[in-house]
Amino acid sequence: MIRILVSVDPIDLADEMALIEGQDAGAVASFCGLVRADDGVDILELDHYPGATEAALDRIAREAAERWSLQAATIVHRVGPMRPGERIVLVLAAAPHRRDALDACAYLIDRLKTDAPFWKRETRGSEARWVEARESDTAAAERWAP
């Protein structure tokens, strides 16, 4: 089972875990990203390219499922305005054994940061600016190259 969701709605960890735990896996690894208040960020707004974003996330999840023989993978990503402390992304990977689940989870978050079309804008007080991609995200994704 591959589940991809891009939504303005808050992420419900319990609901998402219940869905993936029903896949009869031996291990589920998770990553939950939160909006940070770096340098006084009041609002982080994410925009995406509908259809293309979901397709990119689905492709990344299918690649992970083949590489680690996953039983299930979930990527839930928020868009729209969010405040510090809110959940922005949830990645879950279910596999027969913990190493596959952990590696696949790391792969999913590293790859989605560079391979899915999202745009970030940070607002601090009355000033807003678009955020450039980080070199560290590119380096993290490149470590998974075949």
Side-chain angles (χ1 to χ4, degrees):
M1 172 190 91
I2 300 225
R3 176 169 158 68
I4 304 298
L5 178 62
V6 177
S7 175
V8 297
D9 297 328
I11 298 170
D12 188 318
L13 296 178
D15 284 352
E16 296 299 333
M17 284 298 290
L19 287 172
I20 204 162
E21 286 176 344
Q23 300 303 306
D24 196 32
V28 176
S30 65
F31 173 84
C32 182
L34 306 174
V35 176
R36 296 183 308 266
D38 291 351
D39 302 320
V41 169
D42 297 311
I43 297 172
L44 175 67
E45 186 168 357
L46 259 74
D47 200 354
H48 75 299
Y49 184 18
T53 302
E54 291 86 351
L57 295 174
D58 185 73
R59 179 182 45 77
I60 294 164
R62 291 188 186 285
E63 289 169 2
E66 289 177 18
R67 190 168 179 171
W68 286 280
S69 299
L70 297 182
Q71 291 158 301
T74 297
I75 301 173
V76 180
H77 212 299
R78 296 252 336 253
V79 292
M82 290 163 273
R83 298 200 172 275
E86 290 187 43
R87 295 178 191 119
I88 189 171
V89 62
L90 176 66
V91 172
L92 303 170
H97 302 284
R98 73 176 177 271
R99 178 54 38 209
D100 283 349
L102 290 166
D103 287 347
C105 186
Y107 173 89
L108 290 167
I109 192 64
D110 286 347
R111 292 285 310 282
L112 79 81
K113 294 281 288 180
T114 58
D115 294 4
F118 287 102
W119 297 276
K120 293 182 183 180
R121 186 170 70 170
E122 296 175 339
T123 301
R124 293 174 180 82
S126 62
E127 292 186 26
R129 70 173 183 89
W130 291 101
V131 178
E132 296 293 325
R134 294 180 179 178
E135 288 182 30
S136 60
D137 291 335
T138 301
E142 286 175 352
R143 77 182 177 118
W144 299 106

